[in-house]
């Protein structure tokens, strides 16, 4: 990122640091981020504070998890020469903005956020009745607005958070923006994510235990494919199947080339191929995608300092941008650090002249 890139729109996105990433994370976000790097000025954040909102009880792996996520990002092709890659908690100004936003955010806005209600209902093994968990999207708003991001690439589930960010920006601007607006309203950019099933046919998700990790070695990828569920109508080898209702068919649609897709479609519907063969082709496509990533990852694994240095350098660049915004915010709220004598004192000085 050089100064000549200033005309490009700015992107910010992030992921909670919850350990190793899987193919669903890649298809649903990361692959898109990698593509965006050339068109936008990108900031990518490892959201370790956001991970704490649910996993606050045991912080022993916080740093390790952040590093894991960053390694997967670098392996997948996020490039520190193009993008600012950083750790949220290394930019403390996010916390200051979060605090100020918390003053102007009505409780009702937060209680209405769909992810809040869902998670409160679904996650029963942790007490999520905390102040921090309710404030999750306020922190996310601070993440986005502190960089004045124009575009936030996210999945469907995060759109409500970006909407809340817009409302907070609007409210801040109308309360304090006497000299013009401080924050632009960001747009969410929905990732055009094809559905990627996990090995059990449900959506690929860490909590279902049905994932294929970006770090899975070839034999494990092949093994996982072998056990993947298929079109239930294809009981025997001689039964025709339908790739459109088969999870393996979905994998092909995302990762295989045209020629393979045609072979699968024809062979499955005519019972000309067996599922074992079909799955080995799907595994081939995955191995082809993952091998170069794992190669790239290796250099960082051998020297983790390298990745940490990238994160530190990124965080430093992020801190510089964030500091500028915080200065404007303080100015707008009449809380700048400059010495300005109170009105009465200033008048007194005038009279004495
Ligand atoms: N909440 C996002 C998620 O769970 C992660 C995140 C944190 C984020 N801060 C962000 C996403 C800022 C976009 C912008 O996926
Ligand atoms: Fe699925 Fe392939 Fe078997 Fe058809 S041949 S049911 S697409 S695994």
């Amino acid at each position: 990122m050089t100064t000549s890139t200033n005309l490009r729109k700015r992107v910010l996105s992030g992921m909670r640091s919850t350990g190793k990433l899987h193919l669903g994370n890649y298809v649903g976000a990361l692959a898109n981020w990698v593509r965006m790097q050339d068109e936008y000025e990108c900031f990518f954040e490892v959201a370790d504070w956001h991970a704490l909102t649910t996993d606050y009880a045991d912080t022993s792996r916080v740093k390790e998890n952040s590093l894991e996520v960053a390694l997967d990002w670098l392996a997948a092709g996020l490039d520190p020469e193009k993008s600012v890659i950083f750790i949220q908690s290394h930019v403390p100004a996010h916390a200051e903005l979060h605090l100020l936003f918390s003053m102007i955010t009505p409780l009702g806005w937060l209680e209405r956020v769909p992810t809040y209600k869902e998670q409160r209902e679904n996650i029963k093994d942790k007490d999520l009745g905390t102040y921090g968990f309710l404030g999750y999207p306020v922190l996310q708003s601070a993440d986005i607005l502190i960089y004045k991001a124009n575009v936030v690439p996210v999945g469907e589930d995060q759109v409500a958070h970006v909407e809340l960010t817009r409302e907070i920006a609007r409210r801040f601007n109308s309360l304090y923006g006497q000299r013009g607006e401080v924050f632009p309203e960001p747009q969410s950019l929905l990732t055009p994510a094809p559905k990627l099933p996990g090995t059990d046919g449900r959506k690929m998700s860490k909590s279902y235990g049905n994932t294929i990790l970006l770090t899975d070695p070839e034999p494990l990828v092949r093994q996982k494919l072998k056990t993947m569920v298929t079109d239930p109508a294809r009981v025997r080898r001689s039964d025709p199947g339908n790739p459109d209702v088969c999870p393996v068919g979905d994998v092909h649609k995302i990762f295989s080339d045209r020629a393979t897709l045609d072979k699968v479609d024809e062979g499955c519907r005519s019972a000309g191929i067996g599922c074992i063969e079909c799955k080995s082709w799907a595994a081939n496509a995955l191995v082809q995608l993952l091998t170069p990533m794992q190669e790239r990852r290796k250099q960082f694994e051998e020297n983790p300092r390298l990745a940490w240095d990238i994160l530190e350098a990124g965080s430093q660049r992020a801190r510089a941008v964030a500091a500028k915004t915080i200065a404007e915010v303080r100015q707008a709220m009449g809380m700048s650090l400059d010495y300005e004598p109170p009105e009465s004192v200033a008048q007194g000085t005038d009279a004495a002249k």
Side-chain angles (χ1 to χ4, degrees):
M1 199 183 68
T2 61
T3 43
S4 66
T5 62
N6 284 348
L7 292 175
R8 293 191 296 176
K9 281 191 176 172
R10 188 174 282 175
V11 155
L12 178 123
S13 199
M15 280 186 206
R16 286 153 42 92
S17 46
T18 51
K20 289 196 162 72
L21 301 182
H22 55 73
L23 273 174
N25 302 126
Y26 180 75
V27 177
L30 198 45
N32 198 37
W33 294 5
V34 172
R35 283 191 293 267
M36 294 182 94
Q37 294 185 105
D38 295 311
E39 195 184 332
Y40 297 92
E41 185 192 10
C42 293
F43 288 71
F44 296 117
E45 154 194 287
V46 179
D48 57 346
W49 276 335
H50 275 113
L52 280 191
T53 58
T54 52
D55 298 339
Y56 54 81
D58 177 6
T59 55
S60 59
R61 293 174 58 97
V62 169
K63 243 171 144 169
E64 206 177 314
N65 286 343
S66 294
L67 200 56
E68 281 293 353
V69 168
L71 285 179
D72 278 332
W73 287 4
L74 294 167
L78 287 195
D79 181 350
E81 299 284 323
K82 295 178 183 168
S83 303
V84 180
I85 302 170
F86 68 100
I87 301 182
Q88 184 183 35
S89 73
H90 292 207
V91 189
H94 288 224
E96 180 172 348
L97 194 58
H98 173 241
L99 174 92
L100 295 172
F101 284 169
S102 77
M103 305 299 171
I104 64 169
T105 306
L107 274 179
W109 289 7
L110 300 177
E111 285 158 350
R112 272 200 304 275
V113 172
T115 46
Y116 176 72
K117 287 191 256 176
E118 278 159 28
Q119 304 236 48
R120 284 302 301 275
E121 279 160 26
N122 293 335
I123 303 179
K124 292 285 178 215
D125 57 331
K126 298 166 196 156
D127 178 7
L128 296 185
T130 59
Y131 178 48
F133 187 69
L134 181 67
Y136 184 112
V138 183
L139 181 57
Q140 189 164 343
S141 300
D143 294 345
I144 296 166
L145 293 176
I146 207 162
Y147 302 104
K148 301 190 177 183
N150 311 102
V151 175
V152 186
V154 283
E156 198 98 51
D157 63 318
Q158 297 292 311
V159 171
H161 293 177
V162 179
E163 192 46 51
L164 184 86
T165 304
R166 296 161 61 83
E167 284 178 277
I168 291 178
R170 230 173 285 147
R171 183 152 184 148
F172 187 98
N173 289 338
S174 82
L175 286 170
Y176 312 118
Q178 297 89 348
R179 274 171 269 168
E181 63 173 31
V182 177
F183 294 114
E185 286 183 33
Q187 304 284 343
S188 55
L189 186 72
L190 264 185
T191 309
K195 101 171 197 240
L196 178 68
T199 49
D200 62 358
R202 292 187 290 172
K203 180 183 170 190
M204 189 178 285
S205 157
K206 197 179 172 189
S207 53
Y208 293 153
N210 63 359
T211 60
I212 295 169
L213 299 180
L214 301 186
T215 43
D216 282 348
E218 174 168 351
L220 185 56
V221 172
R222 294 197 179 278
Q223 180 57 39
K224 285 182 176 177
L225 254 292
K226 271 191 194 125
T227 61
M228 189 153 185
V229 301
T230 55
D231 176 359
R234 248 202 124 175
V235 185
R236 273 162 311 206
R237 169 69 175 77
S238 54
D239 296 331
N242 178 0
D244 293 337
V245 300
C246 173
V248 180
D250 290 332
V251 172
H252 276 298
K253 285 193 191 88
I254 298 172
F255 300 106
S256 290
D257 57 29
R258 192 69 252 165
T260 311
L261 275 173
D262 290 343
K263 274 199 301 184
V264 169
D265 204 65
E266 211 283 313
C268 179
R269 291 176 200 276
S270 65
I273 58 169
C275 289
I276 297 177
E277 192 178 8
C278 178
K279 286 170 157 188
S280 75
W281 298 339
N284 290 346
L286 295 185
V287 168
Q288 202 176 23
L289 172 76
L290 295 179
T291 303
M293 288 191 206
Q294 294 174 2
E295 285 293 317
R296 218 173 296 146
R297 191 180 159 112
K298 211 177 284 164
Q299 52 168 324
F300 295 110
E301 271 169 348
E302 282 160 8
N303 185 3
R305 181 79 232 181
L306 220 59
W308 194 255
D309 286 346
I310 288 172
L311 289 169
E312 221 6 276
S315 300
Q316 199 172 341
R317 286 163 73 184
R319 283 195 292 271
V321 177
K324 234 181 113 212
T325 305
I326 287 293
E328 287 173 40
V329 163
R330 282 177 160 269
Q331 188 75 42
M333 295 179 75
M335 299 172 82
S336 83
L337 298 173
D338 306 333
Y339 175 68
E340 285 159 28
E343 202 102 304
S344 56
V345 177
Q347 274 166 9
T349 318
D350 273 353
K353 266 201 227 156

